[in-house]
Amino acid sequence: MLSTKEPSRQVIGYWMSEKKSQKLNWSEFASVCKENGLELVKLDLNEPLEMQGPFTAILHKLTDIIALAMQGDAKATRMMENIESFLDAHPEVAVIDPLPNVRQLLDRSLSYSVIHSSDLGTIDVFTPTYVELTSSDVQENIATLSSAGVKFPFVCKPLVAHGSSNAHKFCYQMSIIFNEEGVSDCKPPCVAQTFINHNAVLYKIFSVGDDHYVVERPSLKNFYSCDQETIHFDSHDVSKADSTSALSILDPEDSIGDINMPDPEKFARIAEILNKELGMALLGIDVVLENGTNRYAIIDINAYPGYDGYPNFFGSLLSCIQKTIADHSSHLAEVSQEGNPDDSGFDTGYSSDEKKKNLLRGRVHKKTMLYGPGNTNCTSGS
């Protein structure tokens, strides 16, 4: 039975690591919420959530725990079962962001397939050719790369885009493979993505619901197919705001020439399309401009990023929470007014209550069903 809370106040259950809470200055956000009629309550995922609510919405950064559960960690699995059983029992609770959609984003191959199948191509935005490698056989992988159109050099990335704090270093460890000999350095399961030269400039789109902000970050310098040995690197060491990695220093022969300024409207459309396609509000989208063509390439997406450099992040997050709650309440009312969903006479296999829960919850995004784990060799134009 749920504990008693003041009915006039909207309660937001949240979970994130202590490190992220401190980084985002969460105590200050709690004050902002209180001023606007919201109460923040941190979830204890080791205890039943029924006694910790009731909640109007749940806001979370569960990527590390989800990733561990996907890898079979028993403790993480119990935590996820705890929160998912609560959400299944309470479809009236809004969630930022839906757990199946976050799982989809954690799988790089799956998330790239969403980009590839979206409307981004209509505005000349692409994701570089890629393929998932699952074999330890080098010759088999070389054939797979060739079939998928992945060219040298390519970036080899862990399949799971996030992971536990204990495995933090591994999760961001990537490699640049320059030739066939280097393919032996790939550690499956992983994703190989054709490297796009972009003069060491990365644009990170921080998306918060309907709002977004773009920051410029350092990135990898230009690389070319050659007999060079594999380079291993930590993506955080290269692309943080204050990074000073040697991998970000252009070689003398790489003359930048005329600099093409990015189009803010293009960034806005990218954020809008991916928010809709992924069914998520909190995203960090990594974009580079391809040398020569100036085409926009999306090379990675992250759930609930750090938002370093985002002005008035609390204001945008508050608006996002309020809009999510309002939209969810409106959807709840619409479903309630529909009455019996089986009036058509067809047997759907669901009771009225079960049907309503499915409609209200909206847990599984359409792309999760269209692109299952078995469809791993989707590619996109480079």
Side-chain angles (χ1 to χ4, degrees):
M1 183 174 181
L2 297 176
S3 60
T4 303
K5 294 276 187 182
E6 183 183 344
S8 61
R9 182 173 291 274
Q10 294 180 319
V11 181
I12 312 301
Y14 78 92
W15 193 93
M16 65 182 65
S17 68
E18 188 60 32
K19 180 179 179 180
K20 188 169 185 69
S21 296
Q22 293 177 0
K23 182 178 181 180
L24 293 176
N25 196 9
W26 209 241
S27 58
E28 181 180 334
F29 184 59
S31 299
V32 172
C33 287
K34 187 174 183 180
E35 293 171 0
N36 289 272
L38 302 178
E39 178 184 354
L40 287 181
V41 175
K42 184 165 186 178
L43 304 177
D44 183 348
L45 301 184
N46 293 304
E47 299 294 335
L49 299 188
E50 289 287 348
M51 301 304 296
Q52 300 177 48
F55 300 112
T56 309
I58 286 180
L59 171 70
H60 68 88
K61 171 69 170 179
L62 287 165
T63 48
D64 289 354
I65 297 176
I66 293 173
L68 281 173
M70 289 168 64
Q71 296 164 8
D73 182 86
K75 182 178 180 181
T77 299
R78 287 194 299 271
M79 287 181 172
M80 292 311 304
E81 289 173 347
N82 184 14
I83 191 169
E84 288 183 292
S85 63
F86 175 82
L87 292 175
D88 287 342
H90 295 280
E92 74 279 3
V93 178
V95 182
I96 308 171
D97 278 310
L99 298 179
N101 299 4
V102 176
R103 284 194 184 91
Q104 173 182 253
L105 193 58
L106 292 183
D107 184 323
R108 278 194 168 96
S109 183
L110 194 56
S111 64
Y112 292 163
S113 73
V114 173
I115 301 171
H116 179 49
S117 64
S118 73
D119 293 334
L120 287 170
T122 63
I123 59 172
D124 202 24
V125 176
F126 71 103
T127 187
T129 49
Y130 69 93
V131 70
E132 181 179 343
L133 300 179
T134 58
S135 174
S136 297
D137 185 290
V138 174
Q139 293 305 312
E140 180 180 341
N141 286 340
I142 290 174
T144 299
L145 291 164
S146 177
S147 177
V150 176
K151 301 176 181 179
F152 296 104
F154 64 81
V155 183
C156 187
K157 308 178 181 183
L159 178 63
V160 178
H162 297 265
S164 73
S165 56
N166 291 333
H168 178 82
K169 188 71 176 177
F170 170 78
C171 296
Y172 295 96
Q173 189 73 39
M174 300 184 183
S175 303
I176 305 171
I177 311 294
F178 294 90
N179 45 60
E180 290 189 354
E181 288 75 14
V183 174
S184 60
D185 294 320
C186 296
K187 305 299 180 186
C190 58
V191 174
Q193 182 185 63
T194 298
F195 181 78
I196 299 295
N197 281 330
H198 53 279
N199 287 334
V201 178
L202 171 72
Y203 298 98
K204 185 174 285 289
I205 307 173
F206 288 133
S207 182
V208 188
D210 293 336
D211 297 337
H212 75 279
Y213 188 78
V214 182
V215 299
E216 183 179 318
R217 293 280 180 82
S219 186
L220 293 169
K221 65 180 183 178
N222 300 328
F223 290 109
Y224 307 90
S225 177
C226 61
D227 59 1
Q228 182 172 332
E229 292 185 358
T230 298
I231 294 176
H232 303 282
F233 68 98
D234 186 316
S235 60
H236 274 188
D237 291 341
V238 172
S239 296
K240 280 188 177 180
D242 56 352
S243 295
T244 57
S245 172
L247 295 176
S248 298
I249 302 175
L250 289 175
D251 293 328
E253 59 269 25
D254 284 318
S255 175
I256 296 179
D258 295 333
I259 299 177
N260 293 310
M261 298 303 294
D263 180 3
E265 290 300 319
K266 185 79 66 105
F267 287 141
R269 287 288 290 141
I270 290 172
E272 178 185 358
I273 290 172
L274 285 182
N275 278 136
K276 179 180 179 181
E277 288 294 323
L278 293 168
M280 294 179 62
L282 304 178
L283 292 172
I285 307 164
D286 292 348
V287 181
V288 299
L289 271 61
E290 183 180 34
N291 290 356
T293 68
N294 209 40
R295 295 172 68 203
Y296 290 63
I298 297 174
I299 59 173
D300 241 334
I301 312 176
N302 300 303
Y304 205 154
Y307 292 102
D308 292 339
Y310 192 112
N312 192 25
F313 170 62
F314 288 163
S316 291
L317 183 58
L318 178 64
S319 296
C320 177
I321 293 171
Q322 292 172 328
K323 185 177 186 300
T324 300
I325 292 172
D327 289 348
H328 193 69
S329 296
S330 296
H331 185 49
L332 187 152
E334 290 174 4
V335 173
S336 296
Q337 290 172 3
E338 287 181 359
N340 189 339
D342 294 328
D343 286 343
S344 62
F346 291 97
D347 183 6
T348 64
Y350 291 104
S351 69
S352 178
D353 286 344
E354 288 173 331
K355 181 77 172 185
K356 183 181 290 187
K357 282 186 178 182
N358 289 338
L359 289 170
L360 290 176
R361 185 75 280 137
R363 292 294 179 210
V364 181
H365 188 254
K366 60 180 180 179
K367 297 297 180 182
T368 305
M369 295 181 286
L370 290 174
Y371 297 93
N375 189 6
T376 57
N377 290 338
C378 301
T379 62
S380 65
S382 58

